[in-house]
Amino acid sequence: MGEHVPPDLLPGTLDLLILKALAANPQHGYGIAQRLRTVSDDVLQVGESSLYPALQRLLLKGWVKAEWGASENNRRARFYTLTAAGRKQLAVERQEFEHLILAIHKVLNAT
Amino acid sequence: MGEHVPPDLLPGTLDLLILKALAANPQHGYGIAQRLRTVSDDVLQVGESSLYPALQRLLLKGWVKAEWGASENNRRARFYTLTAAGRKQLAVERQEFEHLILAIHKVLNAT
DNA sequence: GTTCTCCCATCGTTTGTCGATGGGAGAAGA
DNA sequence: TCTTCTCCCATCGACAAACGATGGGAGAAC
């Protein structure tokens, strides 16, 4: 009955994670996924079918911009860069995230 | 365009919050919502249209059971109680949650 | 020259949250 | 008494996000 599948991701945090992954330097989609995975020690597993729609959202909102280029391996790749608005948004979402986490912890640690 | 609406809740955490709210003592739906709200200092605002479907889920999974009774104010109310399986599930979800939060923080604090 | 890894992307499904809505029933105030 | 308020139940339809499956192009490696 209770086939319990540990989640690959906390829903609602993907945009934040992507924005943060791009904060240091521009990257292509595949690179973002890998970075999130390695930095989180294999905990956060972002599938491509979650990643690309998310990138579209961010593009639409103007938080990232994209340009075609060549990856380190000389392959055709689309590089995403954080815009100024994106940088601001990153700060906002980070703040909101911590705010919620704090609230959740208050519940979890209540007697 | 970018109407940013701060979330009332971190999606995917509601079940955990409810289980925890019931851990101390059985409660009716309205009471759960209030408790979450007050304990979180008004940050977590659980609407009834999120709460009741969630309670149905938990019932179906056998993590809570429900019985009709009377509230403190002498009103007809449905009291939800954590089952043994529910208690176990609470521990599991809590663990998974912290695991994910740790991973997210690794990303957020990466250079 | 076949296979592998890199890198793109979409479609359809499922799940979760939320706004709106509706109602019953005791309590409180007019 | 009558109305309004608070408590407490619940559902429906809309919407958004995440995911599994799928498909493909193009260098690199074997």
Side-chain angles (χ1 to χ4, degrees):
Chain A
M1 178 197 277
E3 307 274 326
H4 190 62
V5 182
D8 289 343
L9 219 57
L10 235 201
T13 62
L14 183 53
D15 291 6
L16 170 60
L17 291 170
I18 293 175
L19 291 176
K20 170 63 188 176
L22 293 177
N25 29 46
Q27 253 174 120
H28 47 82
Y30 194 84
I32 295 172
Q34 281 206 118
R35 174 161 176 79
L36 291 179
R37 202 181 154 162
T38 60
V39 171
S40 72
D41 293 321
D42 270 9
V43 173
L44 303 176
Q45 317 237 1
V46 188
E48 313 200 339
S49 54
S50 305
L51 182 65
Y52 289 109
L55 286 169
Q56 305 283 3
R57 289 199 296 272
L58 301 181
L59 276 171
L60 265 170
K61 305 250 190 174
W63 295 334
V64 303
K65 61 181 169 56
E67 10 183 60
W68 287 99
S71 75
E72 310 154 10
N73 300 330
N74 236 23
R75 272 166 175 129
R76 169 182 147 280
R78 209 172 176 202
F79 282 84
Y80 295 88
T81 310
L82 216 54
T83 63
R87 208 164 287 278
K88 197 167 176 183
Q89 180 65 14
L90 170 54
V92 169
E93 291 202 16
R94 190 167 181 161
Q95 161 72 24
E96 285 176 1
F97 174 74
E98 298 296 354
H99 193 226
L100 282 177
I101 294 302
L102 178 62
I104 292 175
H105 275 143
K106 279 181 186 164
V107 171
L108 292 182
N109 298 326
T111 51
Chain B
M1 180 194 278
E3 307 274 325
H4 188 61
V5 182
D8 288 343
L9 219 58
L10 236 199
T13 62
L14 183 53
D15 291 6
L16 170 59
L17 291 171
I18 293 175
L19 291 176
K20 169 63 189 176
L22 293 177
N25 30 44
Q27 251 173 122
H28 49 82
Y30 193 84
I32 296 173
Q34 281 207 118
R35 173 160 176 82
L36 292 179
R37 201 180 155 162
T38 60
V39 170
S40 72
D41 293 321
D42 270 9
V43 173
L44 303 176
Q45 317 236 2
V46 188
E48 313 200 339
S49 53
S50 305
L51 182 66
Y52 289 108
L55 285 169
Q56 304 284 4
R57 288 199 295 272
L58 300 181
L59 275 172
L60 264 170
K61 306 250 192 177
W63 295 334
V64 303
K65 60 181 168 55
E67 9 182 63
W68 288 98
S71 75
E72 310 155 9
N73 300 332
N74 236 22
R75 271 163 175 130
R76 169 182 148 278
R78 209 175 175 200
F79 282 85
Y80 295 88
T81 310
L82 217 54
T83 63
R87 208 163 286 277
K88 198 167 177 183
Q89 181 64 14
L90 169 55
V92 169
E93 291 201 17
R94 190 169 182 160
Q95 160 72 25
E96 285 176 2
F97 174 75
E98 298 296 354
H99 193 226
L100 283 176
I101 295 301
L102 179 61
I104 292 174
H105 275 142
K106 279 181 185 163
V107 171
L108 292 182
N109 298 327
T111 52

